[in-house]
Amino acid sequence: MINKSVIMDEAAIRRALTRIAHEIIERNKGVEDCIIVGIKTRGIYLAQRLVERIEMIENVKVPVGELDITFYRDDLQHKSEDAVLQGSSLPSQITGKTVILVDDVLYTGRTVRAALDALIDNGRPRMIQLAVLVDRGHRELPIRPDFVGKNVPTARTEIVDVQLDEVDVMDIVSIRQLL
């Protein structure tokens, strides 16, 4: 793969997350009965950043959780045969709550479908909303995000690479072309 172009730098990521936090507050008329859940791996860190921003804006700490979708994926047989379940950690009960599901990139929609299955196995939320840093299109399932940091039209031969400081030592989103 070769690096094609940077589409979001650290400042753009920070601004996008701040905007998404405001949109979450506005759409839900506050954050009462909301839970923010990040899809492992990078969705967790984005969820934590959203919680921090919402706390700065509303002075309310929203519960945050982590969702491992490893065994809910429909492509598990095509992935590593040694798939490792890292475990989910959801705050309290999700039944009756508004769950804001967070991921880094929305592509085919299959990751979100797996996350929805995992969530439903843990309770019956009143509502599930989806927040993504990047929506790159090419959906294979009828899934649409409620909150988007950036819409990036891509070719199927491209990869959107999200790097976050917590795991990658820098905040940057770039598009890479498959060779």
Side-chain angles (χ1 to χ4, degrees):
M1 287 186 284
I2 58 172
N3 197 351
K4 185 174 180 184
S5 63
V6 172
I7 56 173
M8 295 178 84
D9 59 10
E10 181 179 357
I13 292 170
R14 185 176 54 251
R15 284 190 303 271
L17 291 174
T18 300
R19 182 175 36 78
I20 290 170
H22 280 281
E23 290 173 358
I24 288 170
I25 295 164
E26 184 175 336
R27 169 134 347 137
N28 294 292
K29 296 176 178 59
V31 288
E32 186 178 331
D33 288 330
C34 288
I35 297 173
I36 297 182
V37 177
I39 300 173
K40 290 193 176 191
T41 297
R42 284 168 185 78
I44 294 167
Y45 304 113
L46 295 171
Q48 291 167 346
R49 292 181 188 190
L50 284 171
V51 166
E52 291 169 4
R53 281 165 177 76
I54 290 170
E55 187 174 12
M56 286 175 24
I57 298 164
E58 290 287 293
N59 202 26
V60 174
K61 179 90 171 164
V62 178
V64 64
E66 303 176 359
L67 193 62
D68 185 349
I69 62 162
T70 302
F71 293 127
Y72 290 90
R73 297 187 61 94
D74 62 3
D75 61 353
L76 192 58
Q77 67 274 15
H78 302 295
K79 299 276 184 189
S80 168
E81 291 185 21
D82 300 324
V84 177
L85 182 65
Q86 298 171 356
S88 296
S89 171
L90 297 176
S92 64
Q93 283 288 330
I94 65 169
T95 298
K97 306 284 186 183
T98 297
V99 175
I100 295 108
L101 193 60
V102 181
D103 204 7
D104 56 351
V105 178
L106 178 57
Y107 181 32
T108 63
R110 293 186 180 278
T111 296
V112 174
R113 190 229 24 105
L116 292 171
D117 288 347
L119 276 175
I120 298 303
D121 278 355
N122 285 283
R124 189 171 194 274
R126 183 177 63 79
M127 179 186 304
I128 300 173
Q129 298 172 346
L130 177 61
V132 296
L133 183 61
V134 176
D135 182 353
R136 64 169 289 186
H138 303 288
R139 220 75 78 237
E140 295 174 2
L141 300 172
I143 291 174
R144 181 181 51 94
D146 298 283
F147 313 103
V148 179
K150 186 171 184 81
N151 285 293
V152 181
T154 61
R156 289 191 181 272
T157 58
E158 295 174 316
I159 292 176
V160 175
D161 183 27
V162 175
Q163 296 179 4
L164 297 176
D165 186 50
E166 293 89 343
V167 284
D168 305 302
V169 192
M170 64 188 311
D171 283 351
I172 194 167
V173 180
S174 59
I175 296 179
R176 299 177 187 270
Q177 179 71 43
L178 289 173
L179 292 177

